[in-house]
Amino acid sequence: MTTASRSNPYTKGSTTAQIILNVFFIAFSLACILPIVLIVAISLTNEKALTLQGYKFWPDHIDASAYQYLFKHSETLVKAYGVSLTVTLIGTVLAVLLIALYAYPLYRKDFPFKKTFNFYLLITMLFSGGLVPFYLLYVNYLDLKDSLVALILPGLSNAFYIFITRTFFQQTIPEEMIESGKLDGASEWRIFFQLVLPISLPVLATIGLFTTLMYWNDWFNSMLFINDTNKFSLQYVMIQMIRQAEFFKTQLAGTGVALMVQESVPTESLRMAMVVLSIGPILFIYPFFQKYFTKGLTIGAIKG
Amino acid sequence: MRTTRSSGAVLAALTAVILGITGCGGGNSGASAPSKAESTAAATTAGTEGSTNPDTSTFRKLKVYTVGNFPQNDTKAVVDEINKYLKEKINAEIDFQGLPWSSWAEKMALAYQSGEQVDLTFAPNWADFANNVAKGAFLPLDDLLAKYGQGIKDTLDPRFFDGGKVDGKIYAIPTNKEIGESHTIMFRKDLVDKYGFDVNSIETLEDLEPWLQTIKEKEPAIAPIWLSGSGSDTLGYFDKTRESMKENFRYELVAGAPAGIVLDTKTDKMVISSMESDTAIYRMKLYGDWFAKGYINKDAATTKTSTEDAFKAGKTWMKFGSDKPDSDKEDSIATGIELVKLKGNEPEISTASVSNSMMAIGRTSIDPERTMMLLNLLHTDPVLVNLIDFGVEGRQYVKVEGKDNFIKLPDGIATRADTGWAPGIEWMFGNQTITYLWEGESADKWEKFKAYNESAHKVKSFGFNFNTDAVKTQVSVVSNIIKEFRPLLETGSLGVDKVLTEYNNKLKANGIEEIRAEVQKQYDAWKAKQPK
């Protein structure tokens, strides 16, 4: 964004409006940032101090024992990181490719079964078999228990994203371009990979970001299909720690069993340290996608 | 060009198929699976009726599901050791599925429904047991027990068997542990000694008042009583008040009914405790009085810090616990703070207490006979149970010299959690009374258990379980009201009278009477069927 030649757009409008807008967005940003700051603060607080004084944005004493503990037991974490990264990378690349491959024929006017495939897609959006059949399919028919494929497969396509991608194609890719590609003797594949996809980077990046986040944050499939501790994803390790405490409070409360169970609920600061460590990578991904988003907006604007 | 187009079409079709599978989770495949599971189940039951001799010639790998503090680092070593032993004994090994608390309930529901192999599974009453039996997740065990479970019959208190019965058939075998429940309050021994308190002098809650006064005056940093609004930390755990003792615990909780409804054992009528039970109202007023006097932490109604956590952090000197034998010693070991406990009320055997830890055999078991043999071993074979409970000797624990039955942690290890095997499942597997004792526990702990179990008495509604189906909506609304008011009523914060009136009005407005009528109806019907 270069704004040197134009007058600065930020000084337009009345000062009052500017002030109100600025104050609003400063407050809004704080509302987003402060929880993260608090999480970091809690992860650096001594557990005893937490019980005695509650949460503080500035801990009286910085206590990194939660992190020390995590690094001492880093084996699990490193493995979990590996699983999460593998699944996210493979999953995202495949998902984006598949979504684009499905969306492209739906955009092509000369594709004869357009209606059928559109309808088929819509059906999957409206109806799902439910959890048990889903589980049965993966465990009994595909035999994917304890396999990373079971973490990748469920997210490989998404009807909604396919529709978004199709619409994007319709709005930005001129029919004539396909025609001229054909005249120049390019095959369908070549047209798709060398003409259509490069122009569609903004939508691919958007879908890519969504699926990256989806894969990175997914713990439910791990819970269903993974029993082997070496294949736990990072989020699953974390959710287990966090839900453990909840489970004791809700499910066992008042059963009399609650007093029998020797809780080994991880401390608050340990859980928050875990959260801090797992936010990391995903934070760095945003800037990388950022440029495509701005481009996406401009492309839309130029088309008009 | 033709070739490209056709290969493109194939690829497109293939893509569509893959997407179809992933997109909608294969909605049409569910129908055939249950039938498959049923057929295997039918085959196994047909197989069991023919055999009388235990045939262990075929090697079996049994899937054992349980819940606890999993995953544990040393699971593999412990399970290998268990398998070595079992291979000799019954020519079987176990595929041990230790699931963490956080995902166990969901995973088990799926395992039962999807027809996966489940041989032995932890099936307590508080985890959808009745529902799972109704769905046919477990095999009836009467015949198997008669053939291969003699050891269980010999060692288990017969009163336990009611816990796993549904419509007169046994579907699960309870763990051999304390048969009844009783609760107590434990205090820090150092402070009890410092002020010369005598735990034996405490008969009722009111007797505690001088103690609380002393602590309030002399230990300002400590809350004499710590309660938290979660509803699970309640003085009701120690239910001995002058009022309740006078009537000799006239009111009983009813299994399955909302906590607001109790059984009046004198008249056999269901009553709404906050309106009609003098005992309950008296107790709440006592809390209010104590709260006003400053004996209870000021933020009791809202704090998220449980009594247990506050105790560990040094904010209070008491915690709640079970009153089973040696529970104070167990908790001292667990918290690292020496404790003494009050004498709780007499242990009560309720529907819940005999069924809160049971093992069932899954409908999809590959070999129900062998699984019953395994269960029989768990009830009779100390070697096996100790392996499962405590891990491998020399790795997770060492024997205390000169005492055969006592164990302690290996040198240089501070807590059980550091040994790589501390799932906390002693109360789930087989027979707790044949296991090792930790150093510091009473040598006669298990004899005490026996005496404790013998002194336990059945509650009047033992065996009755309220079915909420007819008044589902009311129950869910009322349960929410109870949840909302409990922190206020159980901690004495805010004016008791005002809160109580508001609470009762809300209950009345939301169908508590209908629930009461339904509970009464079911209870009367159940009572009529009981042998006199």
Side-chain angles (χ1 to χ4, degrees):
Chain A
M1 296 281 291
T2 51
T3 51
S5 56
R6 283 178 280 147
S7 68
N8 190 343
Y10 300 117
T11 55
K12 280 193 191 145
S14 70
T15 6
T16 337
Q18 283 301 330
I19 290 170
I20 290 174
L21 279 176
N22 277 326
V23 167
F24 172 76
F25 277 104
I26 286 170
F28 188 78
S29 312
L30 279 180
C32 297
I33 295 166
L34 285 180
I36 307 238
V37 175
L38 187 60
I39 284 176
V40 175
I42 295 172
S43 73
L44 289 168
T45 316
N46 173 303
E47 190 66 17
K48 211 162 181 169
L50 273 184
T51 317
L52 292 172
Q53 296 150 10
Y55 303 141
K56 281 189 176 174
F57 277 105
W58 293 117
D60 301 344
H61 305 285
I62 299 278
D63 175 3
S65 58
Y67 289 96
Q68 282 164 354
Y69 177 88
L70 283 176
F71 286 120
K72 208 169 80 184
H73 300 84
S74 57
E75 204 183 325
T76 326
L77 274 184
V78 169
K79 272 184 192 153
Y81 251 107
V83 169
S84 278
L85 283 173
T86 314
V87 168
T88 307
L89 278 173
I90 297 176
T92 306
V93 170
L94 280 180
V96 170
L97 185 68
L98 277 174
I99 287 169
L101 275 170
Y102 197 121
Y104 177 65
L106 295 185
Y107 140 81
R108 286 283 297 270
K109 287 212 164 58
D110 49 352
F111 177 55
F113 305 107
K114 231 162 89 168
K115 271 212 165 78
T116 322
F117 280 102
N118 255 328
F119 180 70
Y120 179 73
L121 204 55
L122 200 66
I123 291 289
T124 66
M125 269 175 98
L126 300 176
F127 305 103
S128 82
L131 186 58
V132 175
F134 170 67
Y135 180 81
L136 278 173
L137 175 75
Y138 276 75
V139 173
N140 289 8
Y141 293 83
L142 302 176
D143 199 18
L144 289 176
K145 219 173 168 132
D146 271 341
S147 138
L148 290 188
V149 180
L151 300 184
I152 295 172
L153 213 50
L156 277 188
S157 91
N158 177 315
F160 189 63
Y161 295 165
I162 291 175
F163 283 130
I164 291 179
T165 316
R166 186 204 58 186
T167 311
F168 181 90
F169 286 161
Q170 282 169 344
Q171 283 175 348
T172 49
I173 297 172
E175 299 275 327
E176 298 80 14
M177 199 179 79
I178 312 278
E179 289 303 320
S180 69
K182 275 191 183 156
L183 285 175
D184 291 339
S187 69
E188 288 290 358
W189 290 106
R190 193 162 176 162
I191 290 173
F192 178 71
F193 281 110
Q194 295 198 322
L195 295 175
V196 175
L197 286 192
I199 298 181
S200 312
L201 280 181
V203 80
L204 297 183
T206 311
I207 304 288
L209 179 71
F210 288 160
T211 41
T212 306
L213 282 177
M214 191 269 306
Y215 276 118
W216 185 260
N217 289 333
D218 170 59
W219 54 267
F220 191 72
N221 290 321
S222 293
M223 188 195 84
L224 291 185
F225 303 122
I226 307 292
N227 283 335
D228 176 357
T229 41
N230 294 327
K231 291 181 182 157
F232 281 2
S233 67
L234 191 62
Q235 304 296 334
Y236 185 49
V237 173
M238 204 161 73
I239 204 95
Q240 275 193 346
M241 288 172 101
I242 289 166
R243 289 180 76 196
Q244 197 93 320
E246 267 172 48
F247 183 89
F248 286 122
K249 283 205 174 71
T250 53
Q251 187 129 358
L252 292 179
T255 54
V257 177
L259 298 172
M260 273 192 265
V261 177
Q262 289 170 356
E263 297 183 33
S264 72
V265 177
T267 61
E268 191 92 23
S269 45
L270 191 63
R271 282 188 269 158
M272 293 306 155
M274 222 21 230
V275 172
V276 171
L277 288 181
S278 70
I279 300 176
I282 217 76
L283 280 181
F284 296 115
I285 283 184
Y286 272 101
F288 172 77
F289 280 104
Q290 178 70 28
K291 64 178 186 192
Y292 295 108
F293 292 144
T294 48
K295 206 192 272 180
L297 298 172
T298 51
I299 283 189
I302 286 172
K303 274 297 295 174
Chain B
M1 279 320 290
R2 278 213 66 79
T3 49
T4 14
R5 195 169 301 164
S6 61
S7 70
V10 169
L11 208 106
L14 206 74
T15 313
V17 168
I18 294 175
L19 288 172
I21 289 172
T22 56
C24 74
N28 54 357
S29 61
S32 60
S35 59
K36 187 179 130 190
E38 273 158 32
S39 61
T40 42
T44 48
T45 40
T48 57
E49 280 153 24
S51 66
T52 40
N53 282 330
D55 171 24
T56 54
S57 56
T58 35
F59 169 76
R60 292 290 192 195
K61 200 155 183 77
L62 302 172
K63 262 188 138 164
V64 177
Y65 286 85
T66 189
V67 57
N69 298 321
F70 292 103
Q72 290 284 336
N73 295 336
D74 216 12
T75 302
K76 199 180 166 311
V78 175
V79 174
D80 285 350
E81 203 62 34
I82 292 171
N83 283 342
K84 252 191 273 175
Y85 187 76
L86 280 179
K87 184 119 183 36
E88 269 172 50
K89 280 272 173 190
I90 52 172
N91 193 23
E93 284 184 359
I94 56 172
D95 176 357
F96 188 81
Q97 300 282 331
L99 302 173
W101 285 102
S102 50
S103 62
W104 169 71
E106 280 120 332
K107 281 201 171 188
M108 282 331 292
L110 283 168
Y112 296 147
Q113 285 181 53
S114 67
E116 273 178 69
Q117 182 195 336
V118 176
D119 292 299
L120 192 64
T121 175
F122 181 60
N125 69 325
W126 43 266
D128 236 6
F129 177 70
N131 204 352
N132 284 327
V133 171
K135 284 184 189 160
F138 309 133
L139 292 177
L141 302 178
D142 297 78
D143 299 349
L144 287 167
L145 191 67
K147 278 182 199 150
Y148 308 107
Q150 201 48 50
I152 301 176
K153 288 185 146 169
D154 294 343
T155 52
L156 198 60
D157 187 321
R159 291 175 296 180
F160 264 121
F161 285 110
D162 288 328
K165 269 190 191 152
V166 177
D167 297 333
K169 276 191 187 156
I170 298 178
Y171 284 92
I173 310 286
T175 307
N176 195 347
K177 57 181 186 59
E178 73 279 7
I179 195 165
E181 271 182 35
S182 55
H183 299 119
T184 180
I185 306 178
M186 305 186 185
F187 296 94
R188 261 170 57 183
K189 188 166 185 303
D190 57 343
L191 288 176
V192 168
D193 291 346
K194 184 174 168 186
Y195 298 109
F197 296 146
D198 172 18
V199 282
N200 297 322
S201 67
I202 306 290
E203 278 302 322
T204 61
L205 262 184
E206 294 91 333
D207 296 344
L208 278 174
E209 198 149 338
W211 291 22
L212 304 175
Q213 188 62 33
T214 310
I215 294 293
K216 183 177 170 260
E217 284 164 11
K218 302 198 172 152
E219 303 281 344
I222 289 179
I225 292 180
W226 183 279
L227 299 171
S228 76
S230 67
S232 54
D233 292 327
T234 154
L235 283 170
Y237 272 136
F238 186 79
D239 198 18
K240 295 204 282 193
T241 57
R242 281 174 198 157
E243 192 70 26
S244 69
M245 302 278 276
K246 206 163 59 191
E247 300 248 84
N248 195 14
F249 303 108
R250 180 173 161 183
Y251 301 98
E252 285 177 0
L253 287 170
V254 184
I261 294 190
V262 291
L263 172 69
D264 181 344
T265 52
K266 275 218 174 75
T267 59
D268 254 3
K269 290 281 173 251
M270 296 292 163
V271 301
I272 297 158
S273 65
S274 57
M275 304 178 199
E276 299 154 354
S277 154
D278 300 341
T279 319
I281 296 168
Y282 170 84
R283 208 158 52 86
M284 289 171 199
K285 293 206 164 149
L286 180 72
Y287 298 163
D289 179 44
W290 280 9
F291 188 83
K293 286 183 181 162
Y295 298 153
I296 297 172
N297 53 320
K298 282 276 168 277
D299 56 355
T302 51
T303 182
K304 292 269 182 289
T305 308
S306 69
T307 310
E308 193 88 13
D309 289 342
F311 177 79
K312 283 179 191 159
K315 290 180 97 163
T316 183
W317 68 313
M318 49 76 72
K319 71 185 274 293
F320 300 106
S322 152
D323 193 29
K324 64 186 184 193
D326 262 14
S327 60
D328 47 347
K329 297 215 172 59
E330 278 178 27
D331 283 18
S332 300
I333 292 168
T335 56
I337 302 165
E338 201 170 347
L339 293 155
V340 287
K341 63 175 179 180
L342 306 176
K343 178 158 176 21
N345 36 354
E346 291 293 295
E348 277 187 347
I349 305 176
S350 63
T351 317
S353 75
V354 290
S355 58
N356 61 20
S357 169
M358 307 193 287
M359 283 282 171
I361 296 179
R363 176 196 64 189
T364 50
S365 169
I366 47 164
D367 193 340
E369 295 94 336
R370 201 74 58 88
T371 312
M372 183 50 90
M373 288 180 210
L374 171 65
L375 196 53
N376 196 44
L377 276 182
L378 284 168
H379 276 265
T380 52
D381 188 332
V383 179
L384 180 63
V385 186
N386 283 324
L387 262 174
I388 289 181
D389 287 356
F390 305 119
V392 185
E393 187 177 355
R395 273 178 92 101
Q396 272 78 30
Y397 66 86
V398 291
K399 289 257 178 80
V400 177
E401 272 178 48
K403 289 185 184 167
D404 198 32
N405 217 19
F406 278 86
I407 56 172
K408 60 178 184 187
L409 292 171
D411 289 340
I413 291 180
T415 63
R416 277 192 67 188
D418 300 335
T419 62
W421 182 257
I425 51 179
E426 292 87 337
W427 53 282
M428 296 180 198
F429 273 90
N431 186 345
Q432 228 192 320
T433 63
I434 53 176
T435 57
Y436 293 140
L437 296 165
W438 287 99
E439 202 176 24
E441 294 187 316
S442 321
D444 58 350
K445 179 177 172 180
W446 302 127
E447 280 81 65
K448 279 193 203 161
F449 255 78
K450 221 174 149 63
Y452 178 87
N453 282 355
E454 271 155 20
S455 75
H457 66 279
K458 283 186 183 180
V459 296
K460 195 160 179 183
S461 62
F462 178 79
F464 172 72
N465 211 333
F466 176 56
N467 178 342
T468 56
D469 286 351
V471 281
K472 242 200 176 89
T473 349
Q474 291 90 326
V475 167
S476 88
V477 177
V478 162
S479 301
N480 279 332
I481 296 171
I482 293 173
K483 224 183 255 165
E484 178 193 348
F485 277 89
R486 206 168 169 173
L488 302 173
L489 295 169
E490 294 280 357
T491 57
S493 33
L494 301 180
V496 177
D497 295 322
K498 195 171 122 286
V499 175
L500 208 51
T501 317
E502 198 183 325
Y503 172 65
N504 288 339
N505 290 341
K506 269 203 159 172
L507 287 181
K508 273 186 206 138
N510 288 292
I512 189 90
E513 287 296 346
E514 290 156 57
I515 303 176
R516 184 224 304 252
E518 181 66 26
V519 181
Q520 190 70 53
K521 191 178 96 191
Q522 288 186 24
Y523 179 74
D524 291 340
W526 170 82
K527 211 166 155 19
K529 274 195 281 185
Q530 297 309 306
K532 291 284 172 288

